Amino acid sequence: MNKSKVLGHSDESGFLFAQEMLGGDITAAINFDRIQKHPVRGYIIFEYLLCDEKQKVSPHSSHPIKYWKKNSKKFISLYEVAKALKAHLYLVNYAKKNTQHSDEILVIKVIKMSPVGIEEEMIWKTNRQEFSKWFRKLNRQCL
């Protein structure tokens, strides 16, 4: 019997609790957006990268290399965890629903990364409908 549940609401309470407990200190942690275990592929880690409307890039034109100096520690940490778990790491560029670029989704499967950037990747430019179809199928396989 399946013991999972439908996503009903966001849970930022854990984040807010950690923020309160740190009392303004910088954090040594990274937050995972999603981690799941596939019965054949093993662990899969998703990191969602929001392209805000105010930015000059869209989900299809943005890439972590464009802001690597600002956020490299996060990406390197995600990659190191993925390697330790023998997991697949997906970076997913998206825009909020009902915005100018809301139908653009860029999926970056990270194959190899170094301190200077992503060295090997597979990129899939898609849209909300196609990504949802793929994502839901993958999710069902993990149940």
Side-chain angles (χ1 to χ4, degrees):
M1 183 168 135
N2 185 341
K3 295 185 182 190
S4 290
K5 61 182 182 178
V6 173
L7 288 177
H9 58 76
S10 66
D11 181 12
E12 61 181 29
S13 62
F15 171 81
L16 294 173
F17 177 72
Q19 186 179 42
E20 176 192 347
M21 294 299 103
L22 285 170
D25 293 349
I26 61 169
T27 183
I30 57 165
N31 291 327
F32 287 86
D33 284 322
R34 183 177 182 92
I35 185 167
Q36 61 193 66
K37 189 169 184 186
H38 190 277
V40 176
R41 300 179 194 179
Y43 286 103
I44 302 169
I45 298 171
F46 288 92
E47 182 63 21
Y48 304 127
L49 307 172
L50 174 64
C51 290
D52 194 85
E53 283 184 279
K54 297 172 189 142
Q55 294 174 299
K56 293 181 177 155
V57 294
S58 73
H60 281 179
S61 67
S62 184
H63 191 280
I65 200 67
K66 292 183 178 184
Y67 50 94
W68 189 259
K69 288 182 182 178
K70 179 181 175 188
N71 234 356
S72 64
K73 184 175 180 178
K74 173 184 179 175
F75 294 120
I76 292 168
S77 295
L78 284 165
Y79 181 69
E80 287 174 350
V81 170
K83 277 190 353 187
L85 291 174
K86 297 181 180 161
H88 300 272
L89 174 59
Y90 291 93
L91 308 176
V92 182
N93 289 353
Y94 73 101
K96 288 181 181 174
K97 195 173 181 177
N98 299 321
T99 60
Q100 180 182 1
H101 300 290
S102 64
D103 204 34
E104 289 185 18
I105 295 181
L106 180 76
V107 181
I108 304 168
K109 182 178 181 184
V110 178
I111 310 296
K112 186 177 178 187
M113 186 184 291
S114 75
V116 297
I118 299 171
E119 295 182 354
E120 191 177 341
E121 63 193 13
M122 292 173 56
I123 291 182
W124 175 35
K125 286 185 178 181
T126 189
N127 59 44
R128 276 184 124 72
Q129 182 180 357
E130 290 302 312
F131 179 78
S132 176
K133 199 160 60 175
W134 175 80
F135 191 67
R136 292 178 74 197
K137 180 180 176 186
L138 182 66
N139 185 66
R140 284 191 301 271
Q141 292 171 350
C142 294
L143 292 174

